[in-house]
Amino acid sequence: MSKILSGVAVAALATAAFAATASAQSRDTIRIVGSSTVYPFTTAVAEQFGKGGQFKTPVVESTGTGGGFKLFCGGVGVDFPDASNASRAIKKSEFEDCAKNGVNGIVELKVGFDGLTVANAKAGPDLKLTKAQLFLALAKQVPGPDGKLVANPYVNWNDIDASLPAEKIEVLGPPPTSGTRDSFLELVMEKGAESFDTLKALKKSDAKAFEVVWKSIREDGAYIDAGENDNLIVQKLEANPQAVGIFGYSFLEENAAKIKGAEINGVVPDFETIASGKYTVARPLFIYFKKQHVGVVPGLQEFLGEYASDKAMGEDGYLSAKGLVPLPADEAKKAEDAAKNLTTIDAPAS
């Protein structure tokens, strides 16, 4: 036998080995890791699924999107998760890591939309921000008076604009492993950077240098990595009304009695503005499944079906009640078909 096996052969051997190992070790509970934003939605589906009585309630862990993919792509078998929540699409590098470790046949389920919110305690000031102001508040380097990049000099919000509160810039946000961090960078920081002529010119002349600018968050204490526990951020905001937090809309809605969302570029985050696209700081949410684990871990395909069902993801579904903004009808149909047919995805372009 050749010492070099094709990717297909490796995948087949991995699946067969998993089936034998699973049989021996009897893992009969679905294991899901990943995004803290998607966590409450997947937990709701898991609880509903467990109530059916046919299968055990899946175990869901909040590890962050990046951390989830690292675990998910680690390999095939009882030691590796069956699914991974994600607040962004899987990256090419992650897809390649999966393939390298024998994880072939990934089913992508887009579950709905979520708005990224900038929020503070009810007792704090009402915030009306622009993406440009948020860039100036959080970027490691910003344009100086002559347009050249300088270390971020802003200490208080009103240093950026006199209309903003005379409060210290203190933002509690997601860590680098978080899909929420990735989305915030792309939806807010990149767009905010493009508001400045010198940075717009830099984007044209040196796209990589421009990318470094909008992806580099300041490290002088104004931005604090608050971990993957969004509930902890809410608690910290309550304790410090001057602080601001970044997290998904569902956490804002669940804690509406304690915190309030900032207006961004003239639009307040709510269910209607996110669904309509008027609130431009919004992103799709996903959960990824290993097709190789279907038929080996009991209930995995049935769980996929529950997630993609209208009673879960539909306009009047139980996930909508938790703050998930549902997909348009055509996209919901695609998700349902992907779950039913176990449709696998190709490698992303980037």
Side-chain angles (χ1 to χ4, degrees), residues 3-15:
K3 291 182 179 179
I4 302 175
L5 298 173
S6 70
V8 173
V10 169
L13 287 173
T15 305

Side-chain angles (χ1 to χ4, degrees), residues 141-171:
Q141 290 187 304
V142 298
D146 60 359
K148 293 181 180 179
L149 289 171
V150 297
N152 195 319
Y154 300 113
V155 176
N156 298 320
W157 287 101
N158 66 340
D159 293 336
I160 295 170
D161 191 296
S163 67
L164 297 177
E167 303 283 2
K168 182 181 176 183
I169 299 170
E170 185 176 349
V171 179

Side-chain angles (χ1 to χ4, degrees), residues 187-207:
L187 295 171
V188 174
M189 297 298 284
E190 181 178 12
K191 300 304 179 187
E194 290 172 350
S195 302
F196 301 92
D197 290 340
T198 53
L199 293 181
K200 193 182 293 184
L202 179 63
K203 182 180 181 179
K204 288 183 179 178
S205 64
D206 191 339

Side-chain angles (χ1 to χ4, degrees), residues 217-239:
I217 298 290
R218 63 195 298 183
E219 299 170 341
D220 56 1
Y223 182 92
I224 302 161
D225 284 349
E228 298 289 357
N229 188 340
D230 292 334
N231 286 313
L232 185 60
I233 298 181
V234 172
Q235 292 172 22
K236 288 182 177 180
L237 295 182
E238 276 194 288

Side-chain angles (χ1 to χ4, degrees), residues 25-186:
Q25 296 186 9
S26 300
R27 177 150 86 77
D28 58 358
T29 305
I30 297 167
R31 183 186 169 210
I32 303 164
V33 293
S35 166
S36 62
T37 301
V38 186
Y39 172 85
F41 304 129
T42 300
T43 298
V45 179
E47 290 171 352
Q48 189 71 23
F49 184 69
K51 287 177 183 176
Q54 187 179 357
F55 303 102
K56 288 189 175 181
T57 301
V59 173
V60 189
E61 301 169 59
S62 177
T63 64
T65 296
F69 279 132
K70 188 172 182 180
L71 293 166
F72 179 80
C73 293
V76 177
V78 291
D79 295 329
F80 302 98
D82 308 302
S84 191
N85 297 317
S87 54
R88 58 163 171 77
I90 190 170
K91 296 177 181 177
K92 182 181 179 182
S93 59
E94 292 163 338
F95 188 93
E96 290 171 348
D97 282 343
C98 273
K100 182 177 67 178
N101 293 319
V103 180
N104 294 279
I106 299 172
V107 179
E108 177 188 84
L109 183 67
K110 185 187 287 188
V111 300
F113 294 96
D114 180 50
L116 278 179
T117 61
V118 175
N120 61 337
K122 286 280 190 180
D126 292 335
L127 295 174
K128 295 184 179 182
L129 301 165
T130 66
K131 293 181 181 181
Q133 289 168 345
L134 283 165
F135 171 80
L136 291 177
L138 299 176
K140 189 172 184 177
Q141 290 187 304
V142 298
D146 60 359
K148 293 181 180 179
L149 289 171
V150 297
N152 195 319
Y154 300 113
V155 176
N156 298 320
W157 287 101
N158 66 340
D159 293 336
I160 295 170
D161 191 296
S163 67
L164 297 177
E167 303 283 2
K168 182 181 176 183
I169 299 170
E170 185 176 349
V171 179
L172 305 169
T177 54
S178 171
T180 298
R181 168 86 159 244
D182 292 335
S183 297
F184 184 80
L185 290 173
E186 292 176 10

